[in-house]
Amino acid sequence: MGIDFHSKDNSKTYTTRLADISWIREVKQLLPIGNVSRALDIGCGGGIYTKALADMGISYVTGVDFSESMLEGARENCKEYKNISFVQGNAFETGLGSNEYDLLVERALIHHMKDLNACFAEAFRLLRNGGFYLVQDRTPEDCVIKGDANHIRGYFFERFPKLTQKETRRRHRSQIVINMMQEAGFKNVKEVKLWEIRKVYDNKGQLLKDLRERAGRSILHELDDEELGVLIKHIDRSLHRDTNIVEKDRWTIWIGEK
Ligand SMILES: C[S@@+](CC[C@H](N)C(=O)[O-])C[C@H]1O[C@@H](n2cnc3c(N)ncnc32)[C@H](O)[C@@H]1O
């Protein structure tokens, strides 16, 4: 099992929400966004964060993904934006020009790859001197936080412990990410933690529908339909609130400068 990013069935899975203001504020606090005119979003999926970068006032944003199916969803999602384009490419070797970009964002990408060396070397090549690299992912510690009324993901692992092993194995430890970014040539590498609002649901029904569709949650592709039904029932019973559910996830952001 596991998600197939190349399947047409998944082309809209990373388009079903907008980046929350909590993410936009954090990025603006971490980086001099006013100085960024060309940004890249690699592993862009359906373009949620490509769009957020353009909305921050960045003059031109290019989204890159190795899946043509994801890019189809992303193009549709961002069709109103004249300052966004999408190209197919692999994070290890994008085929894009060297020393051209002021900012490169890779959100929720690195847990899908084992060879961080090649990914970070490509990032370094793409950025201009003084450009910033922002990597966002979960560490194994971020993944095992208990479920509660806001941290819905925690329930996945509580109800299906087999997912914990899968999840923590594919996530990179923070110190390893930091060391490898430094080895790739990045300086002033730092780590920050972020509780990002993923989505706000008017009622529980909306959240349960989102879960049933496995929207934007690759880990749920590790469960079959019956198991997913069991998980949804568990979450339904665990949440005592029916309205205004604010779902938050814990992330680690690493910033480096070329
Ligand atoms: C979990 S999704 C994240 C999408 C988006 N960044 C977001 O945060 O909503 C990971 C994305 O990375 C893409 N991807 C995975 N491995 C890749 C690679 N080696 N090169 C380029 N894209 C890749 C997948 O196709 C998928 O769209």
Side-chain angles (χ1 to χ4, degrees):
M1 280 233 267
I3 188 166
D4 175 6
F5 288 123
H6 302 279
S7 161
K8 291 274 170 217
D9 294 343
N10 294 323
S11 70
K12 297 236 158 46
T13 191
Y14 292 103
T15 61
T16 60
R17 60 189 184 90
L18 291 171
D20 187 76
I21 188 73
S22 54
W23 186 84
I24 292 166
R25 279 200 194 117
E26 183 73 28
V27 172
K28 281 188 173 165
Q29 212 178 326
L30 289 170
L31 300 171
I33 285 292
N35 300 338
V36 175
S37 18
R38 295 187 72 189
L40 273 179
D41 176 15
I42 299 186
C44 63
I48 294 171
Y49 293 86
T50 326
K51 192 189 270 190
L53 291 168
D55 284 339
M56 284 180 188
I58 297 173
S59 315
Y60 205 85
V61 189
T62 306
V64 180
D65 204 285
F66 71 173
S67 157
E68 196 42 65
S69 168
M70 287 293 157
L71 292 175
E72 194 184 302
R75 287 194 184 100
E76 173 63 23
N77 187 20
C78 300
K79 65 180 177 215
E80 313 295 340
Y81 289 70
K82 300 275 173 285
N83 59 339
I84 291 181
S85 63
F86 291 100
V87 293
Q88 189 175 19
N90 198 305
F92 302 127
E93 196 177 4
T94 57
L96 298 170
S98 303
N99 307 308
E100 287 193 7
Y101 299 90
D102 307 307
L103 171 65
L104 164 49
V105 171
E106 290 178 347
R107 185 188 179 282
L109 172 71
I110 61 167
H111 64 282
H112 295 295
M113 46 183 56
K114 289 212 164 68
D115 187 0
L116 291 187
N117 274 321
C119 174
F120 292 174
E122 177 66 353
F124 195 78
R125 184 187 71 78
L126 292 163
L127 286 164
R128 66 160 174 80
N129 286 336
F132 288 94
Y133 186 30
L134 184 154
V135 177
Q136 176 174 348
D137 216 294
R138 294 190 182 89
T139 61
E141 296 78 23
D142 294 330
C143 297
V144 294
I145 297 170
K146 255 177 81 64
D148 64 30
N150 297 115
H151 187 236
I152 308 298
R153 272 182 84 87
Y155 291 124
F156 303 178
F157 305 103
E158 174 180 303
R159 184 63 191 81
F160 285 98
K162 69 172 183 178
L163 294 180
T164 310
Q165 204 186 18
K166 170 83 199 170
E167 185 69 327
T168 51
R169 253 197 216 152
R170 65 181 187 163
R171 302 286 172 171
H172 300 279
R173 299 206 165 272
S174 184
Q175 197 54 52
I176 289 178
V177 175
I178 292 170
N179 293 348
M180 291 177 91
M181 281 175 72
Q182 286 169 338
E183 276 163 30
F186 289 100
K187 55 189 184 196
N188 304 327
V189 176
K190 64 174 179 185
E191 175 219 270
V192 282
K193 294 286 183 188
L194 172 68
W195 275 100
E196 182 186 343
I197 295 181
R198 181 183 193 282
K199 201 166 173 179
V200 179
Y201 308 87
D202 294 337
N203 54 57
K204 220 196 299 190
Q206 285 181 358
L207 166 66
L208 301 182
K209 177 172 177 287
D210 212 61
L211 292 168
R212 203 167 295 117
E213 291 168 356
R214 298 181 171 90
R217 295 174 166 99
S218 64
I219 193 73
L220 293 186
H221 290 255
E222 305 296 330
L223 298 179
D224 65 27
D225 289 348
E226 203 182 316
E227 291 170 321
L228 183 63
V230 170
L231 175 64
I232 290 171
K233 262 197 202 128
H234 174 69
I235 293 175
D236 190 8
R237 275 196 225 110
S238 307
L239 289 178
H240 301 298
R241 219 183 148 141
D242 188 38
T243 55
N244 196 30
I245 297 168
V246 181
E247 184 181 5
K248 293 183 185 178
D249 290 320
R250 223 275 284 263
W251 294 91
T252 301
I253 293 178
W254 297 270
I255 304 272
E257 195 179 340
K258 177 164 169 181

